[in-house]
């Protein structure tokens, strides 16, 4: 690590390659290689190294999170979503994994991914009712699904109710801070569903 600290990345990579010859499954060394590639701005190489690590250590939560972040940097949301799915399989009761997966699905923006985002925002809220980011996300995705061009009949009504519930929850969370409440109410007014 002293080589890394002094910016001698190539020498450090050579040293780590030698160490991996003797111990090919040495996780900390594999992670140091990822860190070097990230420090050098070599995202593609970092992704390759993380995929190699995950072939051996499939239950490494940190590696899955890091890989999801790298895919997001490259705007590869489908692969980032896969990483988050793996994390949810490994730890289904972690509200932040559901929230992050929902955010990625929301970013993809198709009807199917928006519906997935709604479900995972709801799960994040079920696991942690104080998760404001998930509550905002649930409000946004419900408004998008209830007010979209494809929204008709029961679907429009259902997501409209979800959006109204989420808005009421947000207002309730800020009821004791009038300044914040005014800001939230203005933002929520911008999300009002058209033609309900």
């Amino acid at each position: 690590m002293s080589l890394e600290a002094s910016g001698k990345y190539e020498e450090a990579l050579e040293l780590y390659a030698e160490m991996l010859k003797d111990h090919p499954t040495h996780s900390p060394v594999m992670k140091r290689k990822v860190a070097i590639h990230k420090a050098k701005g070599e995202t593609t190489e970092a992704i390759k190294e993380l995929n190699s690590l995950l072939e051996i250590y499939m239950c490494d939560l940190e590696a899955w999170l890091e890989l999801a972040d790298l895919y997001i940097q490259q705007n590869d949301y489908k692969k980032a979503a896969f990483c988050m799915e793996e994390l949810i399989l490994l730890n289904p009761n972690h509200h932040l994994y559901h929230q992050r997966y929902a955010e990625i699905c929301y970013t993809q923006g198709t009807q199917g991914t928006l519906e997935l985002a709604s479900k995972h925002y709801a799960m994040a809220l079920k696991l942690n009712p104080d998760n404001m980011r998930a509550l905002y996300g649930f409000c946004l995705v419900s408004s998008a699904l209830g007010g979209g061009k494809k929204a008709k009949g029961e679907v429009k009504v259902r997501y409209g109710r979800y959006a109204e519930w989420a808005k009421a929850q947000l207002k309730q969370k800020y009821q004791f801070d009038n300044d914040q409440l005014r800001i939230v109410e203005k933002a929520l007014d911008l999300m009002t569903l058209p033609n309900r």
Side-chain angles (χ1 to χ4, degrees), residues 14-51:
E14 289 173 17
L15 177 65
Y16 294 151
E18 285 298 316
M19 291 172 74
L20 287 172
K21 282 181 185 174
D22 295 331
H23 305 285
T25 60
H26 196 265
S27 174
V29 172
M30 296 171 91
K31 288 183 179 185
R32 292 308 321 148
K33 287 179 71 177
V34 172
I36 289 173
H37 289 302
K38 281 184 62 181
K40 290 173 65 178
E42 298 171 346
T43 305
T44 305
E45 289 300 315
I47 288 172
K48 286 180 188 174
E49 293 292 339
L50 274 171
N51 278 312

Side-chain angles (χ1 to χ4, degrees), residues 17-181:
E18 285 298 316
M19 291 172 74
L20 287 172
K21 282 181 185 174
D22 295 331
H23 305 285
T25 60
H26 196 265
S27 174
V29 172
M30 296 171 91
K31 288 183 179 185
R32 292 308 321 148
K33 287 179 71 177
V34 172
I36 289 173
H37 289 302
K38 281 184 62 181
K40 290 173 65 178
E42 298 171 346
T43 305
T44 305
E45 289 300 315
I47 288 172
K48 286 180 188 174
E49 293 292 339
L50 274 171
N51 278 312
S52 296
L53 179 122
L54 286 166
E55 285 177 15
I56 300 166
Y57 300 103
M58 291 173 245
C59 294
D60 189 328
L61 300 175
E62 292 172 352
W64 283 115
L65 272 174
E66 187 68 36
L67 188 57
D69 285 342
L70 292 174
Y71 281 134
I72 288 170
Q73 287 177 19
Q74 295 205 324
N75 297 324
D76 194 341
Y77 297 109
K78 190 173 183 178
K79 289 181 181 173
F82 174 80
C83 294
M84 295 312 299
E85 289 167 357
E86 290 294 321
L87 285 164
I88 290 169
L89 285 171
L90 292 168
N91 190 352
N93 294 321
H94 197 304
H95 69 101
L96 294 176
Y97 293 164
H98 288 280
Q99 172 198 307
R100 186 75 183 276
Y101 181 58
E103 291 168 349
I104 292 167
C105 290
Y106 183 79
T107 302
Q108 289 175 303
T110 67
Q111 183 72 21
T113 58
L114 288 175
E115 289 172 1
L116 265 175
S118 174
K119 291 174 185 175
H120 284 276
Y121 277 130
M123 180 55 84
L125 286 169
K126 181 179 179 181
L127 294 170
N128 180 1
D130 295 325
N131 185 334
M132 293 298 286
R133 193 163 159 170
L135 187 55
Y136 276 108
F138 187 68
C139 186
L140 284 170
V141 77
S142 297
S143 295
L145 286 167
K149 295 175 185 174
K150 294 182 180 180
K152 292 184 174 84
E154 179 196 327
V155 172
K156 184 174 187 126
V157 171
R158 181 175 67 230
Y159 284 109
R161 280 195 311 246
Y162 292 165
E164 292 305 317
W165 175 85
K167 288 177 185 182
Q169 293 296 309
L170 284 167
K171 288 178 184 178
Q172 183 181 354
K173 298 277 186 188
Y174 289 103
Q175 68 184 344
F176 300 111
D177 186 344
N178 288 331
D179 293 333
Q180 288 290 324
L181 182 59

